[in-house]
Amino acid sequence: MASSIEKVIASTFMEMAQGLESGQYGRRPKIALTGMGSEHGEENSMQAAVMAAKQGVDVYYIGTLEAEGVTTIKVTDDEEGHKKMEDMLKNKEIDGAVTMHFPFPIGVSTVGRVVTPAKGKEMFIANTTGTSSTDRIEGMIKNAVYGVIAAKACGIAKPTVGILNVDGARQTEKALKELQSNGYDIAFAESGRADGGCVMRGNDVLQASPDILVTDSLTGNILVKMLSSFNTGGSFEATGFGYGPGIGEGYDELVMIVSRASGAPVIANAICYAAELVRNKVSDVAKREFDAVKKCGFKEVLASYKTVAKPAAAEEEVKEPPKEIVTAQIAGIEVMDLEDAVRALWKIEIYAESGMGCTGPIIRVSEANLAKAEEELKKAGYIN
């Protein structure tokens, strides 16, 4: 008994000492970083790990390097590192991970976080990688909710939402205001331009007029790259927090994305962004937000604003084949065709899943079915 009490006392004093040193009290979040694959070398990744560890995070560095204050998980290459990261997440050995690429399922996309140049103000960009929906308008409406979740999990009680003036902005605005009129508690930002409104111009991006800037993920990806590296010529992302966590209904793993061009300061901030989401229980925040928006007719609003008419083939009832392990990837498919391509494979009894790889949309199949699946997709015109 005495030994058990002594361990508790020792652990408590250690937490107090670490809190005094870092300014962060309580259990330290455990965040893994896959360090291999950076365009700036593995040393850049380890530098980020050391910086984040000094901010009250237990950093597990997956790579070949070692440093004081960081736990190294030795791997020989990037592929082994990703497998190790996924195993650690699955086994709850870590609370979250920061990595340079990850195949999120359709419905999950990341909320980036940047520091804007005009006023040095932070802004969330919803969204930056992954695909919330294969339908553009539905995706942007979901992105707004995902952005609210990320902002609230970072301590902003009532974040303001602005919609970037891109294709689909007005439909997204109408849909979000319909949800608001149904009782969903969403606050809209006001453009800094004279005519105001919640549709944001380029000036608003630079000034961070909204807390959350809603856009499609391809545009959001470009914005993060530009805002984080405009002072360096583009090859080194020097400011901001990276491309953020993958968020989607029912998705509970905390995986944060950075770029191969991300410098140590950005990667360190991404690790700290992950730790903040862990401390503020982002999964609980997401569940509350999804529950709230669904009570206000979220499903019905999404259906009414969906822009893509299903072709006759998509309307056909196709039964999903028995699930199997899918490790082979097929790229080069237009995102709007992704779900139809999956159905085309199901139709010939090949089990397939859609996803988002580091270079764009992918379909995942078993190694045994790869050649046959590629042949079928070429025949149907889904890939070249």
Side-chain angles (χ1 to χ4, degrees):
M1 177 67 78
S3 175
S4 176
I5 293 171
E6 285 168 5
K7 285 180 182 177
V8 171
I9 292 170
S11 175
T12 302
F13 274 109
M14 180 60 75
E15 284 185 8
M16 289 172 63
Q18 290 170 341
L20 288 168
E21 184 180 6
S22 67
Q24 299 285 353
Y25 292 89
R27 187 181 76 83
R28 289 159 64 99
K30 297 178 179 181
I31 308 297
L33 169 66
T34 59
M36 305 175 87
S38 170
E39 291 175 7
H40 308 299
E42 204 179 340
E43 293 78 7
N44 175 72
S45 301
M46 178 53 88
Q47 184 185 349
V50 171
M51 292 165 69
K54 291 177 181 177
Q55 300 300 313
V57 184
D58 280 345
V59 182
Y60 290 75
Y61 180 81
I62 302 174
T64 66
L65 304 181
E66 295 183 0
E68 188 178 347
V70 173
T71 302
T72 293
I73 310 294
K74 290 275 189 178
V75 294
T76 56
D77 55 36
D78 191 26
E79 187 177 342
E80 185 187 349
H82 265 81
K83 185 173 187 318
K84 184 62 182 176
M85 179 196 82
E86 291 181 17
D87 287 345
M88 292 178 78
L89 282 167
K90 184 179 178 182
N91 297 331
K92 309 292 184 187
E93 296 171 51
I94 51 175
D95 300 307
V98 175
T99 189
M100 293 169 208
H101 56 87
F102 191 78
F104 291 111
I106 298 298
V108 176
S109 61
T110 65
V111 180
R113 188 174 172 188
V114 297
V115 178
T116 57
K119 298 179 181 177
K121 184 185 169 189
E122 287 184 16
M123 181 173 70
F124 294 87
I125 297 183
N127 281 17
T128 62
T129 65
T131 302
S132 302
S133 170
T134 53
D135 179 88
R136 181 180 181 82
I137 307 304
E138 182 180 58
M140 287 176 66
I141 299 166
K142 286 184 174 183
N143 287 352
V145 177
Y146 297 1
V148 169
I149 289 166
K152 285 187 175 181
C154 287
I156 305 175
K158 200 173 178 70
T160 58
V161 174
I163 306 154
L164 187 63
N165 192 20
V166 293
D167 185 30
R170 294 299 174 181
Q171 295 99 313
T172 303
E173 178 188 8
K174 284 174 66 179
L176 294 175
K177 288 188 172 175
E178 192 173 318
L179 288 169
Q180 186 186 49
S181 69
N182 291 347
Y184 181 50
D185 187 15
I186 185 171
F188 290 99
E190 192 74 14
S191 171
R193 298 298 295 273
D195 50 352
C198 67
V199 174
M200 303 286 113
R201 319 318 194 268
N203 316 63
D204 297 304
V205 176
L206 299 175
Q207 295 169 5
S209 298
D211 294 316
I212 302 158
L213 182 70
V214 177
T215 183
D216 62 277
S217 63
L218 294 177
T219 303
N221 189 279
I222 292 167
L223 287 176
V224 172
K225 290 183 187 300
M226 292 184 69
L227 290 168
S228 61
S229 61
F230 69 96
N231 273 332
T232 69
S235 62
F236 186 94
E237 294 178 3
T239 65
F241 299 75
Y243 301 76
I247 295 178
E249 189 174 4
Y251 189 78
D252 291 329
E253 286 188 345
L254 181 59
V255 179
M256 315 285 289
I257 299 297
V258 289
S259 164
R260 291 181 177 88
S262 295
V266 170
I267 299 173
N269 282 348
I271 297 170
C272 294
Y273 182 8
E276 189 173 11
L277 294 173
V278 171
R279 290 188 179 104
N280 292 330
K281 297 181 172 62
V282 64
S283 291
D284 292 349
V285 174
K287 187 176 185 312
R288 287 196 298 270
E289 204 64 30
F290 283 123
D291 286 346
V293 74
K294 282 194 287 186
K295 286 176 183 173
C296 300
F298 190 45
K299 185 178 178 181
E300 292 75 15
V301 168
L302 289 175
S304 67
Y305 282 90
K306 208 162 186 178
T307 56
V308 177
K310 290 184 180 178
E315 295 287 356
E316 187 181 338
E317 189 67 32
V318 180
K319 189 177 178 183
E320 179 180 328
K323 287 185 184 293
E324 57 186 24
I325 296 171
V326 289
T327 54
Q329 297 184 4
I330 302 170
I333 299 154
E334 171 59 43
V335 68
M336 297 300 188
D337 295 332
L338 202 52
E339 295 307 320
D340 288 350
V342 168
R343 279 190 173 84
L345 293 178
W346 287 1
K347 198 172 177 182
I348 59 168
E349 296 298 314
I350 292 178
Y351 177 73
E353 295 177 2
S354 59
M356 185 60 62
C358 59
T359 58
I362 58 169
I363 284 179
R364 293 182 288 181
V365 296
S366 68
E367 295 288 345
N369 283 329
L370 178 59
K372 188 178 177 184
E374 285 180 329
E375 181 183 346
E376 177 64 21
L377 293 176
K378 283 176 186 173
K379 195 164 57 176
Y382 289 110
I383 58 175
N384 294 326

